[in-house]
Amino acid sequence: MSKLHRQGGAAHVFLIPWWLGLVLVTAVPLIASLYLAFTDYNILSSPKFNGLENFERMFQDDYFWAAVRVTAVYVVVSIPLQLGFALLLALILDRGLRGLAFYRSAFYLPSLLGTSVAVAILWRQIFGDNGLVDRALSIFGLELGSWLQNPSLSLSTLIVLNVWTFGSPMVIFLAGLRQIPEELYEAVKVDGAGIVRQFTAVTIPLLTPIIFFNLILQTIGAFQTFTQAHVVSGGTGGPANSTLFYTLYIYQQGFTNFDMGYASALAWVLMAAIGLVTAVHFVLSRYWVFYGDD
Amino acid sequence: MTTATTSLDSARARTTAVLRRRGRRDLLKHLGLGVFVLLMLYPLIWMIVSSLKPDHLILTEPGLIPSEVTFDNFVAGWNALNRPFTVFFLNSLLVTVGSIIGNLFSCSLTAYALARLEFRMRGVYLAITLLSVMLPMHVLVIPQYIFFSQLDLVNTYYPLLIPKFLATDAFFIYLMVQFIRTIPRDLDRAAWIDGSGPFRTFWYVVLPLMRPALVTTTIFTFIWTWNDFFVPLIYLTSPKMFTVPVALNSMVDSETQGGVGMLFAMSLVSLLPVLIFFAIAQKQLIRGIATTGLK
Amino acid sequence: MSGLDRRGFLKLAAAGALGAGLTACGAGDSGGGDGTTLRYAWWGNNVRQQNYTKALKEFAAKNPGIQVEPEFADYTAFQERMTTQMAARDVADIFWVASAQVMTYHKSNIYRRLDEVPSVDLADYSKEELESFKLGGQLNTMPFGIFVPVFRYNETFAEEDGVKLPPADADWDAWSEFLIDYSKDNPKQRKGMPYEADADMVFEAWLRQRGELLWSEDGNPGFTADSVRAWFDWWDKMQKAGAVLTLSEQEGMGPDWALVGKKVLAKVGNSNHIIDDAKMFPDYSFKLRSVPAAKDAQAGHPFLYYPRMAIYQGIDDDKLEAAGKLISYNTNDPAMIKTVGLTMGAPVNPKVFEQTLAAAQGDDKESLDAVQVSRKAERRPRFEAPPGTSTWRTAMARVAEEISLGRLSTADGAKRLLDEISAGIARAK
């Protein structure tokens, strides 16, 4: 009991910056936006309380549903692809190989570019009419024109963009692999374990907290994909709303349409959805994530 | 390799066979990785080539071999905004270094408390931390702006830096929590038994062990801050205060797409510091735990 | 304990040093001495930024005691920043107003009345002109340019391909037939125009010729679904006949001129665009035409579009005089036009206009001539977009896009556009 008490005291000293940040920077805007979700607020005049009107409006809003569909497809498809890629390359690059530093940097480069304005022009170069992909496919007699302007293909170009920027999760995986004590490998080697056994008995179990971390944070990030969609579609979410990501729609409502009340309501619905998905992940994590401190 | 050399012929033969096999496997690996790297980097290569073309050829002449090479884009871009680009570099550097210090300091303290210390409602704290990552920034930015503008801090770097010193980048807190949780608890329990308090344990035992996480935080903070556009755009109104991305943005006209060549040229130049930083930082990452003296 | 103390102390010291450095920077920024410092916010690309920064410096040099702090960003970023600043009531003293926001800001009382600022010099303007500047009966924004809708064509291409353009009095159908013919048979396989069924000003001209308005005086759509449908039909017919680029060929609505400039003979647009667009293709020469007029076009259909600037309502009273001077310099001083050029349209001051026209050459002259035609013509009044319509151009682009993709009929598209606009207006009331 006395030890717990002492730890509690120490904990609150450690948490001073966090507390200050919560009160000053995070909580007030968070509460403000929650309040705004129940108001009609056009930024220029003061907010007017309007009950659940914003939430009711969503059900009849075709754009809202389009945004939900686009975002859901994106999260479900791009996250496994991106993480799978990142893990695979992290494993390959973790083993001794000449020129590792070069590869690591090379693979990380796209992530550095990923959100710059230049990507819009770049992507058009690759997926546009007469772009790289179009020309390659026309060799096989496929004339698809611009992928970016084809409502059934445009979202896939954004998924490719996300997979292409797998650098961040890869770096985190690499750091995680480095964190695994060499002794543990030695221990199973003494028991005569081969590469595969080392992998399944040491690498994967010890990496699960990091896999879990990447899964949670990349999922949250994917739900909130904004910059890439904004850059590639020029902020429209076109063609035919096929790249109208949820946060892009929030942005349009809040910053272009000045409907900050509705935008806040949309944001809280998104937050609830992310919260739910994250909670499910946490529940499931009990079955597969292994912590060294258990 | 040298240790494998013995006087026994059979052993040597076996070793060279192994080496040859490994060499062949490495070659295959390099070949595969090389093709992959090319694929990944094609867009970047195209960008480099384009930055060397005159503006009007960039969109109309798609190939990788330019019919005309010029450095005009770099020269024009460097001076495009009434002052040399070095100003924006220095501004970005100031913000970035400040953010890194802030995040390392505040997030590691918070993460240690959340991952290791026992206190009431620890789970709630962790949940709040995660929750704050979930709300899209576009609805938070206006209340935050009102707050900072009331303190008369608009057009200074404080609104960009203060949040970093107050552990608001929950991503990193959570990252560090996950890393600390992979560290076997026996290690700090031992320190506890030796009579170290929580602060000594944090400083001497946990912090050295979470080096990969600290390096990762440094890398990501650097890159994300260096590339951040929206927040500096809103808080920094005076051109001499601009960071690199805000400066880059004011080069292109979103209506006509003029100035693409300059944009490419300056994007590449602004990529250089990030690249150099990453190349150095990742070496730290590789050294990782092996050199931190885990016994 | 000592661990944290040492670490904490180091970090805090670093933070403190950093903070001191920042304060030093901050102090350097706001230091204005005894004079007045005005914040001036505008948008554009780096060329426009350089030109206007230079012009503002010239203004400061001519007016000792006044400094101008520029706030600049590209069009989208400008609006993002502006929105945030509006929310915090921390807006530049003088700012350009994006067209969709003109009435929204007016309704929210963001503008200072300019006729109460003596240093805003209005002596050169006629009564009618001043009347046309007003919003809701108040002179609270100041136009600083004029442009009109036009058809622009590439004279070089026309000569190369040996085609003769429709006569000056050709109507809409004569043009579409000409463009269809052209696209069917020209050696370089160019198209007639990009697909721009969302070109708002040309659309407005179309409506006015039919006796309608884009926006009515009471802040509603001033047009019928029939007219919108006919507009979309005009484009649809050309699209089906292959006379305009497909969305794939032009990479979406609102195509980049740099991308499509080589692929088309003509395009619809605004008279000021020729200034920047022509520079991208220095080898070609471009000419402007007034938009075609229907045979039965209603009198008074021509109109002038004004980009506007305003003084912020919350400006310090002691800065007002200086702000008025800057507005006057922007609109009345030939030196300003000389430095910034005509990218924001023809000069709004009649004396400066005549003076500039007399000296103009090349693209400048083309653009001024086009404005002059409408300036001389009889014009019915024009009203700005009402609150709640700030996204109407996006809505129009979406509808045009879906029609082009074959997902929407022109009739349904027209109805959808009107419905969306009306819903927006209703919500803002």
Side-chain angles (χ1 to χ4, degrees):
Chain A
M1 186 63 212
S2 78
K3 192 178 159 197
L4 185 69
H5 185 77
R6 206 178 81 188
Q7 284 201 348
H12 289 293
V13 176
F14 277 98
L15 288 173
I16 287 171
W18 183 86
W19 265 111
L20 284 173
L22 180 69
V23 173
L24 293 176
V25 189
T26 317
V28 173
L30 217 62
I31 294 164
S33 77
L34 181 61
Y35 167 67
L36 291 179
F38 298 96
T39 63
D40 176 11
Y41 176 43
N42 75 353
I43 288 172
L44 302 169
S45 34
S46 24
K48 286 184 282 289
F49 187 78
N50 69 356
L52 291 174
E53 210 174 282
N54 290 327
F55 295 92
E56 283 158 11
R57 183 173 151 199
M58 278 176 221
F59 285 97
Q60 275 127 54
D61 184 348
D62 293 342
Y63 295 115
F64 167 76
W65 291 110
V68 168
R69 207 187 50 240
V70 167
T71 310
V73 170
Y74 180 79
V75 170
V76 170
V77 178
S78 79
I79 291 299
L81 278 177
Q82 193 208 30
L83 289 187
F85 240 66
L87 182 56
L88 184 72
L89 280 157
L91 287 170
I92 293 174
L93 294 183
D94 187 48
R95 305 269 148 185
L97 191 71
R98 258 170 212 257
L100 267 186
F102 167 74
Y103 288 122
R104 256 189 291 253
S105 306
F107 291 145
Y108 198 75
L109 256 172
S111 309
L112 303 180
L113 278 175
T115 50
S116 114
V117 193
V119 163
I121 300 152
L122 229 119
W123 233 233
R124 185 190 295 152
Q125 204 51 42
I126 297 171
F127 290 105
D129 183 48
N130 223 357
L132 201 65
V133 172
D134 190 27
R135 274 179 288 160
L137 287 179
S138 65
I139 298 172
F140 304 103
L142 273 170
E143 299 284 349
L144 292 172
S146 169
W147 283 44
L148 300 167
Q149 298 312 321
N150 185 331
S152 30
L153 293 174
S154 52
L155 184 57
S156 58
T157 69
L158 280 157
I159 292 173
V160 172
L161 179 57
N162 192 40
V163 177
W164 184 58
T165 55
F166 65 86
S168 305
M170 181 190 78
V171 166
I172 295 172
F173 279 136
L174 276 171
L177 289 169
R178 288 286 129 197
Q179 186 90 331
I180 299 172
E182 204 54 41
E183 288 85 342
L184 292 176
Y185 285 109
E186 300 299 334
V188 291
K189 265 190 215 159
V190 170
D191 294 345
I195 295 247
V196 177
R197 180 87 189 102
Q198 287 174 33
F199 182 70
T200 53
V202 179
T203 314
I204 288 299
L206 282 180
L207 204 59
T208 48
I210 307 305
I211 297 176
F212 182 60
F213 169 82
N214 267 336
L215 181 65
I216 293 281
L217 269 303
Q218 294 297 330
T219 305
I220 294 177
F223 268 111
Q224 297 183 352
T225 297
F226 172 77
T227 316
Q228 288 133 326
H230 188 261
V231 160
V232 169
S233 77
T236 65
N241 302 326
S242 58
T243 61
L244 185 65
F245 279 81
Y246 198 97
T247 39
L248 188 57
Y249 188 51
I250 292 179
Y251 168 83
Q252 286 180 354
Q253 284 296 342
F255 277 82
T256 327
N257 209 15
F258 287 0
D259 206 338
M260 204 39 96
Y262 190 47
S264 301
L266 286 168
W268 277 85
V269 167
L270 176 67
M271 182 156 166
I274 299 176
L276 196 71
V277 170
T278 309
V280 169
H281 273 315
F282 266 94
V283 171
L284 293 177
S285 77
R286 290 195 195 138
Y287 301 101
W288 65 274
V289 179
F290 166 81
Y291 289 108
D293 61 355
D294 285 337
Chain B
M1 229 184 280
T2 47
T3 54
T5 328
T6 63
S7 56
L8 286 166
D9 273 6
S10 60
R12 191 182 292 154
R14 206 165 53 224
T15 313
T16 43
V18 166
L19 280 179
R20 200 180 298 141
R21 214 181 312 136
R22 186 181 294 163
R24 210 178 298 144
R25 213 173 46 214
D26 276 4
L27 192 72
L28 273 176
K29 239 183 187 178
H30 279 300
L31 219 65
L33 284 171
V35 170
F36 193 62
V37 164
L38 267 185
L39 208 69
M40 296 285 293
L41 294 191
Y42 168 83
L44 189 80
I45 297 166
W46 180 78
M47 210 167 126
I48 295 172
V49 173
S50 297
S51 71
L52 296 170
K53 288 179 189 171
D55 221 12
H56 63 276
L57 285 182
I58 293 173
L59 294 173
T60 46
E61 184 198 271
L64 275 186
I65 296 143
S67 61
E68 230 181 297
V69 173
T70 164
F71 286 94
D72 287 358
N73 289 323
F74 289 86
V75 179
W78 192 263
N79 298 307
L81 301 171
N82 292 324
R83 40 177 69 74
F85 222 76
T86 29
V87 173
F88 310 121
F89 269 107
L90 289 175
N91 292 343
S92 274
L93 199 68
L94 177 73
V95 173
T96 308
V97 171
S99 300
I100 290 174
I101 295 173
N103 268 345
L104 285 178
F105 164 68
S106 64
C107 295
S108 64
L109 285 181
T110 311
Y112 176 67
L114 292 180
R116 279 297 205 253
L117 299 178
E118 309 281 340
F119 57 98
R120 275 196 296 166
M121 306 214 294
R122 197 170 68 155
V124 177
Y125 282 58
L126 206 60
I128 293 175
T129 306
L130 259 184
L131 223 62
S132 61
V133 202
M134 291 178 197
L135 201 68
M137 52 100 71
H138 289 110
V139 296
L140 296 178
V141 76
I142 286 191
Q144 267 168 4
Y145 183 89
I146 294 175
F147 172 72
F148 282 114
S149 101
Q150 237 125 53
L151 294 176
D152 214 12
L153 291 178
V154 171
N155 218 10
T156 70
Y157 296 121
Y158 287 114
L160 312 185
L161 290 176
I162 291 174
K164 310 282 179 191
F165 279 89
L166 300 182
T168 49
D169 262 348
F171 181 91
F172 298 115
I173 298 178
Y174 193 53
L175 175 81
M176 291 183 194
V177 167
Q178 289 302 87
F179 269 85
I180 294 174
R181 295 190 73 178
T182 62
I183 300 171
R185 194 154 233 182
D186 300 342
L187 291 169
D188 40 325
R189 215 169 267 153
W192 275 91
I193 291 163
D194 287 350
S196 302
F199 299 108
R200 285 182 72 87
T201 311
F202 169 69
W203 182 243
Y204 289 110
V205 180
V206 176
L207 214 53
L209 286 178
M210 55 190 280
R211 183 184 173 137
L214 297 178
V215 176
T216 311
T217 300
T218 308
I219 294 178
F220 283 6
T221 307
F222 187 102
I223 289 161
W224 291 345
T225 313
W226 189 269
N227 288 333
D228 189 18
F229 169 65
F230 195 67
V231 176
L233 166 79
I234 282 169
Y235 286 110
L236 307 174
T237 50
S238 158
K240 66 180 167 223
M241 304 282 286
F242 282 180
T243 58
V244 169
V246 183
L248 282 178
N249 171 270
S250 53
M251 281 188 180
V252 257
D253 189 343
S254 44
E255 309 274 292
T256 58
Q257 296 289 345
V260 170
M262 265 184 338
L263 173 75
F264 279 11
M266 294 331 283
S267 298
L268 288 170
V269 172
S270 70
L271 209 59
L272 274 180
V274 191
L275 204 63
I276 292 167
F277 177 80
F278 182 77
I280 295 168
Q282 60 135 5
K283 281 212 179 101
Q284 296 293 313
L285 196 65
I286 299 158
R287 271 202 253 147
I289 210 158
T291 55
T292 52
L294 177 67
K295 292 279 143 59
Chain C
M1 244 1 229
S2 70
L4 177 84
D5 283 352
R6 192 184 54 182
R7 180 185 170 77
F9 177 74
L10 285 176
K11 297 294 186 195
L12 283 175
L18 199 66
L22 294 175
T23 319
C25 285
D29 275 339
S30 53
D34 302 327
T36 312
T37 303
L38 291 172
R39 291 165 62 195
Y40 181 97
W42 80 105
W43 68 75
N45 61 1
N46 73 304
V47 177
R48 197 183 284 167
Q49 183 194 10
Q50 282 190 332
N51 290 341
Y52 271 82
T53 309
K54 186 161 169 245
L56 294 173
K57 277 200 185 123
E58 288 164 0
F59 168 77
K62 286 177 194 166
N63 293 275
I66 305 180
Q67 272 127 34
V68 188
E69 182 122 311
E71 293 190 9
F72 173 85
D74 98 299
Y75 186 64
T76 320
F78 172 87
Q79 286 181 294
E80 286 164 357
R81 185 192 278 159
M82 196 77 182
T83 305
T84 322
Q85 291 179 339
M86 289 273 176
R89 306 281 182 272
D90 175 33
V91 183
D93 301 311
I94 300 175
F95 54 92
W96 291 13
V97 190
S99 64
Q101 258 64 273
V102 171
M103 290 308 282
T104 313
Y105 288 175
H106 171 61
K107 190 187 163 211
S108 305
N109 213 5
I110 297 293
Y111 308 130
R112 271 281 173 147
R113 285 191 70 151
L114 297 177
D115 37 10
E116 289 165 4
V117 184
S119 55
V120 175
D121 180 5
L122 301 169
D124 291 343
Y125 302 92
S126 71
K127 231 184 179 161
E128 293 75 37
E129 277 168 328
L130 287 176
E131 205 54 43
S132 72
F133 297 169
K134 288 182 179 173
L135 303 174
Q138 288 178 14
L139 187 75
N140 47 19
T141 60
M142 190 66 198
F144 61 100
I146 308 174
F147 38 93
V148 296
V150 290
F151 272 35
R152 183 172 83 211
Y153 66 93
N154 186 322
E155 197 182 34
T156 318
F157 286 175
E159 277 166 17
E160 265 177 35
D161 299 336
V163 289
K164 207 166 151 289
L165 283 124
D169 61 346
D171 64 2
W172 295 88
D173 288 335
W175 263 95
S176 62
E177 275 155 32
F178 163 74
L179 293 171
I180 291 170
D181 277 349
Y182 173 80
S183 310
K184 269 189 193 128
D185 176 34
N186 73 74
K188 293 252 171 77
Q189 293 180 340
R190 294 185 185 107
K191 293 286 180 75
M193 292 206 279
Y195 177 74
E196 291 178 294
D198 61 334
D200 55 331
M201 281 190 40
V202 183
F203 172 63
E204 187 170 356
W206 170 276
L207 295 176
R208 291 173 69 98
Q209 292 179 11
R210 297 169 70 100
E212 299 175 2
L213 288 171
L214 183 54
W215 308 109
S216 68
E217 190 169 8
D218 59 358
N220 281 308
F223 52 92
T224 58
D226 271 353
S227 294
V228 188
R229 184 193 170 165
W231 163 260
F232 283 136
D233 279 336
W234 185 74
W235 284 98
D236 202 40
K237 189 179 145 205
M238 287 203 290
Q239 174 117 67
K240 292 206 166 102
V244 294
L245 295 173
T246 63
L247 286 184
S248 173
E249 285 166 329
Q250 67 179 34
E251 297 298 345
M253 298 300 297
D256 292 346
W257 175 243
L259 185 76
V260 298
K262 275 194 170 176
K263 299 180 181 173
V264 293
L265 174 71
K267 103 182 260 318
V268 300
N270 304 348
S271 56
N272 60 324
H273 291 164
I274 189 174
I275 309 290
D276 292 329
D277 285 0
K279 289 200 188 88
M280 281 190 223
F281 294 97
D283 298 344
Y284 307 143
S285 92
F286 294 94
K287 287 278 184 291
L288 299 185
R289 284 280 185 91
S290 295
V291 285
K295 293 271 182 295
D296 55 352
Q298 279 246 338
H301 68 81
F303 68 101
L304 307 177
Y305 176 82
Y306 302 126
R308 294 164 187 267
M309 60 172 69
I311 299 182
Y312 179 51
Q313 180 67 45
I315 188 176
D316 291 343
D317 280 338
D318 51 351
K319 287 184 175 179
L320 208 50
E321 196 202 329
K325 275 189 189 162
L326 182 49
I327 294 251
S328 295
Y329 187 75
N330 250 262
T331 46
N332 299 335
D333 202 314
M336 179 87 186
I337 294 294
K338 216 171 164 190
T339 308
V340 300
L342 299 177
T343 66
M344 287 309 285
V348 70
N349 181 306
K351 280 187 187 157
V352 183
F353 182 93
E354 296 299 343
Q355 216 179 313
T356 317
L357 180 61
Q361 286 173 334
D363 298 333
D364 283 355
K365 185 160 170 23
E366 276 298 305
S367 122
L368 290 172
D369 280 342
V371 173
Q372 181 70 316
V373 173
S374 297
R375 273 181 94 238
K376 292 249 160 96
E378 178 199 347
R379 300 186 304 271
R380 280 187 288 134
R382 168 180 194 277
F383 304 98
E384 294 284 347
T389 57
S390 49
T391 47
W392 85 272
R393 283 163 72 180
T394 322
M396 183 148 184
R398 275 179 174 152
V399 168
E401 180 180 65
E402 297 214 19
I403 291 174
S404 171
L405 290 167
R407 297 182 160 213
L408 204 61
S409 74
T410 54
D412 290 346
K415 189 175 167 302
R416 165 131 50 115
L417 181 64
L418 257 174
D419 286 351
E420 277 193 28
I421 291 174
S422 307
I425 293 174
R427 256 199 304 276
K429 270 182 181 153

